[in-house]
Amino acid sequence: GQNIDQPTEMTATEGAIVQINCTYQTSGFNGLFWYQQHAGEAPTFLSYNVLDGLEEKGRFSSFLSRSKGYSYLLLKELQMKDSASYLCAAADSNYQLIWGAGTKLIIKP
Amino acid sequence: IAGITQAPTSQILAAGRRMTLRCTQDMRHNAMYWYRQDLGLGLRLIHYSNTAGTTGKGEVPDGYSVSRANTDDFPLTLASAVPSQTSVYFCASSQLGGSTGELFFGEGSRLTVL
């Protein structure tokens, strides 16, 4: 079956670095997405990886290992506004997204 | 501002009633989607449409129907609402064949069925 696993909740300190991991199993693979979702709001796109390696975009970076079925989202210089849920989603062979349940990130001052 | 508009933003309705959630996009995306989001679960796909005139079933289609008469509109209908359909519903669109195929989401419709 198809499955996405990510931690339910993580806590980090303002100014620090946090890594949110995601493992996936899909029928075929056409890329890995990360979305951010603030409470009561819609998800917004953060990153897309289809090739192995690290993609850096400002304070946020995303890594993919296709052979391991593994990705992580790295958030640097954490700010209070980064408190949100982070959703991992993998695109299968039909380009349909399989979603994880999301990781709630709590930032403490 | 370009994007996706959903209506209503919130609704309470009695079990057994018929309800249509509206979704309109102005980005001319070919694909549109309806998801439901429940606490502790990932987004679950209800129905999708890869192009105007075609629709497909997602992971949890029972009790829901959709239509895609044109590019911009993708309404979701609950023919006879049941309490288990209490959820937050998100409409999304994407350009299949685009660089990333990222989804753009509407603000959501919070539905409570009593």
Side-chain angles (χ1 to χ4, degrees):
Chain A
Q2 305 196 104
N3 190 54
I4 302 281
D5 284 317
Q6 54 181 130
T8 302
E9 187 174 295
M10 299 182 70
T11 302
T13 304
E14 189 177 16
I17 299 173
V18 70
Q19 178 176 311
I20 303 174
N21 296 323
C22 170
T23 58
Y24 64 89
Q25 287 181 301
T26 55
S27 301
F29 179 75
N30 280 299
L32 194 291
F33 294 82
W34 285 96
Y35 283 79
Q36 180 190 60
Q37 186 177 25
H38 285 101
E41 298 183 7
T44 55
F45 172 79
L46 286 177
S47 68
Y48 171 73
N49 295 66
V50 68
L51 300 177
D52 286 356
L54 187 68
E55 295 274 347
E56 297 186 72
K57 194 184 294 185
R59 294 189 299 113
F60 292 9
S61 302
S62 55
F63 172 84
L64 176 68
S65 169
R66 294 178 64 138
S67 63
K68 295 182 179 179
Y70 168 70
S71 173
Y72 68 72
L73 181 68
L74 191 71
L75 292 75
K76 303 176 184 176
E77 301 170 15
L78 286 170
Q79 302 175 8
M80 298 303 293
K81 67 179 182 179
D82 297 330
S83 293
S85 288
Y86 291 85
L87 313 181
C88 174
D92 67 11
S93 57
N94 295 318
Y95 294 90
Q96 294 294 347
L97 293 186
I98 312 302
W99 294 84
T103 298
K104 182 178 181 181
L105 178 63
I106 300 168
I107 309 296
K108 295 185 175 180
Chain B
I1 298 177
I4 297 182
T5 303
Q6 290 185 233
T9 55
S10 180
Q11 182 76 43
I12 300 173
L13 76 161
R17 298 296 297 269
R18 180 184 179 88
M19 177 72 196
T20 295
L21 303 180
R22 301 183 298 279
C23 176
T24 299
Q25 56 113 352
D26 62 3
M27 296 175 284
R28 308 301 294 173
H29 285 164
N30 48 19
M32 297 187 75
Y33 312 84
W34 274 105
Y35 287 94
R36 60 178 289 173
Q37 188 175 40
D38 303 289
L39 195 64
L41 300 176
L43 288 163
R44 291 185 291 169
L45 183 65
I46 303 170
H47 285 286
Y48 66 93
S49 169
N50 287 338
T51 188
T54 69
T55 62
K57 294 182 179 180
E59 179 186 358
V60 288
D62 294 344
Y64 305 95
S65 63
V66 293
S67 61
R68 186 92 183 275
N70 56 60
T71 298
D72 299 342
D73 300 301
F74 192 45
L76 175 74
T77 297
L78 290 67
S80 178
V82 295
S84 62
Q85 292 177 311
T86 294
S87 187
V88 180
Y89 291 86
F90 286 102
C91 180
S93 71
S94 71
Q95 184 60 31
L96 293 178
S99 57
T100 66
E102 69 179 272
L103 297 184
F104 293 82
F105 286 86
E107 290 303 307
S109 296
R110 183 176 296 276
L111 186 66
T112 302
V113 182
L114 301 176

